[in-house]
Amino acid sequence: MKKRIAIFISGRGSNMDAILRQAREGILREVCNVVLVFSNKPDAKGLETAKKAGVKTACIPSKGKKREDFDREVIEFLETYDVDYIVLAGYMRLLSPYFIQAYKQRIINIHPADTRAFQGVGGYEWAWEQGLKKTMVTVHYVDEGMDTGDIIEQRELDITDCSNLKDLEKKGLALEHVMFSDVLKKVFEK
Ligand code: GRF
């Protein structure tokens, strides 16, 4: 059975776009259907991209709402979609324990660093400022903490050839776009 997935975004949505392409005509075609792209930000650029791709989109603005109140609203909204997995692709809001419990081990995130070494926003900046020769991209299950959930897979990113942060981000995103779908495929196939 194909998994029903919702992709959560807050901004650009380049990872979402990569997943939509793989779900439409690539390696995710046989394993999942993207039933919804959801954003907590009305101006998220990725919403337009998803609409153009013909995917159902929805936005519930989170601004000014208490974490759990907002999450309850989102969970209620999601009910009709009967979602198997939630994929966080640049979703910039920490989920409440209430949300995590509702979708336990069914929420997957991509993080632009080794989650054991760096948590939170700005993984590529961190690697650059640390002067690292290589960093990691991590795909992991989401738990109650900030980037602390079980690691599903990590891939190394050699950054010795990057002469500035922009280069590094570009190289990192290129890896993310391939890796995220690869890992999702393995999870959804199980
Ligand atoms: C990516 O670097 C991802 O790893 C992080 O947020 C960024 C989102 O980029 N969680 P995009 O919206 O997918 O382009």
Side-chain angles (χ1 to χ4, degrees):
M1 267 288 258
K2 282 198 198 182
K3 302 291 188 289
R4 295 172 61 82
I5 71 166
I7 305 178
F8 279 31
I9 61 169
S10 297
R12 180 178 53 193
S14 69
N15 276 287
M16 172 215 73
D17 192 25
I19 295 167
L20 291 183
R21 285 168 200 274
Q22 293 299 342
R24 199 167 52 231
E25 60 209 16
I27 62 167
L28 294 174
R29 206 160 45 102
E30 308 291 336
V31 294
C32 70
N33 285 322
V34 181
V35 297
L36 178 71
V37 168
F38 174 83
S39 175
N40 66 321
K41 300 258 190 208
D43 57 352
K45 202 173 146 245
L47 284 174
E48 286 312 310
T49 314
K51 271 183 211 156
K52 279 190 197 136
V55 177
K56 170 93 184 135
T57 61
C59 175
I60 302 178
S62 58
K63 202 169 174 195
K65 291 179 188 159
K66 284 201 183 122
R67 193 173 309 286
E68 192 171 318
D69 293 346
F70 175 70
D71 281 0
R72 280 182 190 275
E73 214 180 309
V74 177
I75 286 178
E76 203 182 308
F77 175 76
L78 279 180
E79 248 155 45
T80 53
Y81 288 90
D82 194 18
V83 162
D84 297 307
Y85 282 90
I86 293 173
V87 173
L88 306 186
Y91 187 64
M92 306 302 281
R93 197 172 161 92
L94 196 64
L95 297 171
S96 62
Y98 177 75
F99 200 115
I100 304 292
Q101 287 305 321
Y103 288 89
K104 213 165 170 47
Q105 296 297 83
R106 294 194 292 141
I107 310 170
I108 299 173
N109 182 46
I110 190 158
H111 180 71
D114 179 350
T115 48
R116 294 164 301 192
F118 179 84
Q119 304 81 31
V121 179
Y124 293 133
E125 285 90 335
W126 168 78
W128 182 251
E129 279 157 19
Q130 297 287 308
L132 302 182
K133 288 195 167 53
K134 55 188 180 192
T135 185
M136 293 251 199
V137 173
T138 305
V139 175
H140 63 98
Y141 288 109
V142 177
D143 68 5
E144 283 83 355
M146 167 87 86
D147 302 319
T148 52
D150 293 344
I151 293 170
I152 305 171
E153 194 171 313
Q154 293 190 302
R155 289 193 192 172
E156 218 171 74
L157 182 68
D158 177 354
I159 51 178
T160 45
D161 58 347
C162 298
S163 42
N164 52 49
L165 176 59
K166 215 169 159 224
D167 279 359
L168 194 166
E169 278 173 346
K170 198 170 165 209
K171 194 171 182 189
L173 274 174
L175 171 64
E176 290 186 37
H177 295 161
V178 174
M179 174 185 179
F180 210 177
S181 292
D182 281 355
V183 178
L184 291 175
K185 179 171 190 281
K186 290 183 205 165
V187 173
F188 297 159
E189 262 170 359
K190 276 187 198 155

